[in-house]
Every structure is written in structure tokens, then in C-alpha cells.
């Protein structure tokens, strides 16, 4: 079932981009296993009603739909939901979480993976997501903190400076669109301030090497965000050089910190549990 509840302006990583499919594949390969393990910890099972905002390619929503079948339902939303396949127990909705309404006290689990840091209105959206939870329901947030993702091994010092310049330019692009690429560290406190309990933050860092999903994602950003990176001061030659660097087998870098956090709305669990 595919519905429409409104439209919104594009984000830095536009789903209409020719590079969005590769970005979704990188995210799937790098983070789906972690996400699924964390979501399983909430106890999500048959009969639950779930909401996945900014669903992207829909891999999280499809996993949830399999868990809640046959009696449950998953709503997968995105401002451009064309990459989300429909399926049993899965409703796909075109929806802007900033401006469009959500039903209140309607979902046993709400998932926001790599969404809130891109929204200037993130705290207002967080409050909206909390209100959408049933008493006892879970909110699960995953976000990157890009303040730490240094190069660890490079062919020379100039390559290290180039990679650092690319990271700085990427953060500038995200901030220009109203995002906060460092917000992830504040997510647990923001969830507590929004009234959630049983908050469980889990930070994770990985090694990025040539061909790894995490570094392929960074490589994708050089294409996906090309215009913004050039506007932030990089040159075409620098982009070509940093792409070559990220394909160099001798290169490695630390990933940004990804925070996987869930918290529960106070109250009794309803009959869906």
C-alpha cells in the first residue's frame, strides 16, 4: 500500500540522485546487522505497530515487517519513498516528519536511523516521535558523530591533510543545510529531556579500509555531495585525489562514532506486547 501525506525540500543526500542507490547499499552492508541486533533487543514481535521514518531503501522497515507479521504493521516513511518496496504488513508513506502530522500513542516502536541530525527542527521532531509512541513503546535512534573519524595510515602527510580537508568540507555541506554532524553525542540526553526512560546508548567505531562498506560510503559522498563540496572550497583535482586515496589499499581511517540509542516511553505496555 502506498500513500501520500505531503512533500518536503530535499536533504543533502537526495533520493533522486544517481548516487543514492550505492549509498543505500553501503549503509545496508555497514550497519544493518547492528541495527537489527539492537532492534531485536526491544522485543519487537508479532502484532507490534512500528514506524520507520526516513526509511531510505526500506531494509529496516522490511526486517521489521517480517518480525511483526502476521498481525502487526509497519509504516515506512520518507520524503521520497520510491526506493522502498511494498510488502506484507508494510505501508509506504510519502511524509515529511517536520511538517506532516503523526498519529499519537499509535506505535510500539519508532525508528529514526540517520535522520534527526539532518533536521534543524530535530528536537521538535523528537518530541513528535515520543508522542507517537504508545505507553511503554520504544524509540530507537542511530546517528553519526563526525567529530571523530581521523585518517590512521596514509601514504604521506599531504594525503592525511587532504582527507581531513574532505571531512571538514563534508561537515560544512551538512551544516549549510541545517544539519549537525556532531549531534549524535547529544541524542541520549535529548531523549531523556523528551521524557523517555531506560535510555541505552551504545557507541561504536570501526576501521575504514579500501573496499569496506564504511569507506565506500565516504567515497560515495565525494560524488553525491560533489556540488556542495566544491562550494565548500574543494577543487575537482582534490576530489579526484581523495577518491584515489580512499581506493589505496595502504589507506585506513577510523570511522565516525555511530551512536545506537533506544529509550522507552513511560507507562504500561498495551495488549500488542
Amino acid at each position: 500500500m502506498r500513500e501520500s501525506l505531503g512533500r518536503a525540500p530535499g536533504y543533502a543526500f537526495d533520493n533522486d540522485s544517481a548516487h543514492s542507490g550505492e549509498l543505500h547499499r553501503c549503509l545496508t552492508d555497514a550497519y544493518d546487522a547492528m541495527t537489527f541486533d539492537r532492534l531485536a533487543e526491544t522485543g519487537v514481535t508479532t502484532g507490534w505497530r512500528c514506524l520507520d521514518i526516513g526509511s531510505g531503501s526500506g531494509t529496516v522497515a522490511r526486517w521489521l515487517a517480517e518480525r511483526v507479521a502476521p498481525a502487526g504493521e509497519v509504516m515506512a516513511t520518507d520524503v521520497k519513498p520510491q526506493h522502498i518496496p511494498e510488502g506484507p504488513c508494510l505501508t509506504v508513506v510519502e511524509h515529511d516528519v517536520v511538517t506532516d502530522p503523526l498519529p499519537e500513542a499509535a506505535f510500539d516502536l519508532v525508528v529514526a536511523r540517520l535522520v534527526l541530525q539532518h533536521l534543524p527542527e530535530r528536537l521538535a521532531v523528537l518530541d513528535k516521535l515520543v508522542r507517537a509512541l504508545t505507553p511503554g513503546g520504544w524509540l530507537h535512534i542511530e546517528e553519526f558523530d563526525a567529530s571523530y573519524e581521523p585518517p590512521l595510515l596514509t601514504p604521506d602527510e599531504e594525503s592525511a591533510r587532504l582527507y581531513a580537508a574532505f571531512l571538514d568540507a563534508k561537515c560544512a555541506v551538512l551544516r549549510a543545510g541545517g544539519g549537525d554532524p556532531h549531534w549524535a553525542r547529544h541524542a541520549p540526553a535529548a531523549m531523556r529531556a523528551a521524557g523517555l526512560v531506560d535510555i541505552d546508548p551504545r557507541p561504536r567505531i570501526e576501521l575504514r579500509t579500501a573496499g569496506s562498506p564504511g569507506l565506500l560510503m565516504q567515497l560515495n559522498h565525494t560524488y553525491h555531495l560533489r556540488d556542495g563540496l566544491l562550494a565548500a572550497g574543494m577543487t575537482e583535482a582534490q576530489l579526484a585525489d581523495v577518491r584515489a586515496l580512499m581506493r589505496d589499499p595502504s589507506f585506513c581511517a577510523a570511522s565516525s562514532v555511530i551512536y545506537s540509542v533506544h529509550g522507552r516511553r513511560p507507562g504500561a505496555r498495551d495488549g500488542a506486547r
Side-chain angles (χ1 to χ4, degrees):
M1 178 180 181
R2 192 173 296 269
E3 303 174 359
S4 176
L5 295 181
R7 296 180 180 274
Y11 299 108
F13 298 102
D14 189 348
N15 268 355
D16 283 338
S17 168
H19 306 292
S20 62
E22 176 63 19
L23 178 60
H24 291 153
R25 284 188 290 274
C26 293
L27 289 170
T28 292
D29 292 345
Y31 299 111
D32 273 10
M34 176 194 73
T35 301
F36 298 162
D37 286 346
R38 290 286 281 153
L39 292 176
E41 292 174 11
T42 68
V44 57
T45 189
T46 183
W48 278 36
R49 295 154 294 168
C50 303
L51 170 66
D52 180 29
I53 69 162
S55 195
S57 64
T59 56
V60 173
R62 292 198 304 274
W63 183 88
L64 288 170
E66 292 175 0
R67 294 285 294 225
V68 305
E73 183 68 25
V74 176
M75 179 186 292
T77 76
D78 206 293
V79 293
K80 297 179 179 179
Q82 67 270 25
H83 298 289
I84 310 171
E86 300 175 16
C89 301
L90 177 60
T91 300
V92 180
V93 177
E94 182 178 340
H95 181 265
D96 176 5
V97 73
V98 174
T99 59
D100 295 333
L102 286 173
E104 298 198 5
F107 300 102
D108 302 296
L109 172 64
V110 174
V111 180
R113 183 169 80 161
L114 305 177
V115 176
L116 296 182
Q117 70 168 249
H118 296 289
L119 306 178
E121 309 88 349
R122 63 187 66 86
L123 296 182
V125 170
L126 177 58
D127 286 340
K128 183 187 291 189
L129 299 181
V130 170
R131 293 194 302 272
L133 290 170
T134 59
W138 290 96
L139 173 63
H140 182 82
I141 292 175
E142 290 180 1
E143 293 288 358
F144 293 120
D145 180 351
S147 62
Y148 178 86
E149 46 185 344
L152 302 175
L153 288 174
T154 60
D156 48 49
E157 286 300 316
E158 180 58 31
S159 297
R161 287 191 290 270
L162 174 65
Y163 187 74
F166 158 67
L167 297 178
D168 288 343
K170 187 177 72 170
C171 283
V173 172
L174 298 179
R175 290 190 186 281
D180 180 357
H182 300 171
W183 183 75
R185 70 181 76 172
H186 303 298
M191 293 167 74
R192 174 177 289 171
L196 298 180
V197 298
D198 298 334
I199 297 165
D200 184 16
R202 306 276 184 90
R204 172 174 166 176
I205 297 175
E206 299 173 325
L207 187 66
R208 288 174 174 167
T209 57
S212 67
L215 197 57
L216 288 174
M217 182 177 67
Q218 293 283 75
L219 185 60
N220 173 274
H221 292 171
T222 69
Y223 296 100
H224 207 149
L225 302 178
R226 170 188 170 274
D227 292 347
L229 293 169
L230 293 174
M234 295 200 76
T235 66
E236 291 281 15
Q238 287 176 316
L239 287 177
D241 287 345
V242 80
R243 289 165 185 156
L245 176 64
M246 286 190 274
R247 294 184 176 107
D248 187 332
S250 70
F251 174 82
C252 69
S255 72
S256 51
V257 184
I258 185 166
Y259 285 85
S260 178
V261 193
H262 53 231
R264 185 176 59 82
R265 182 175 183 176
R269 297 171 183 269
D270 63 26
R273 303 303 183 87

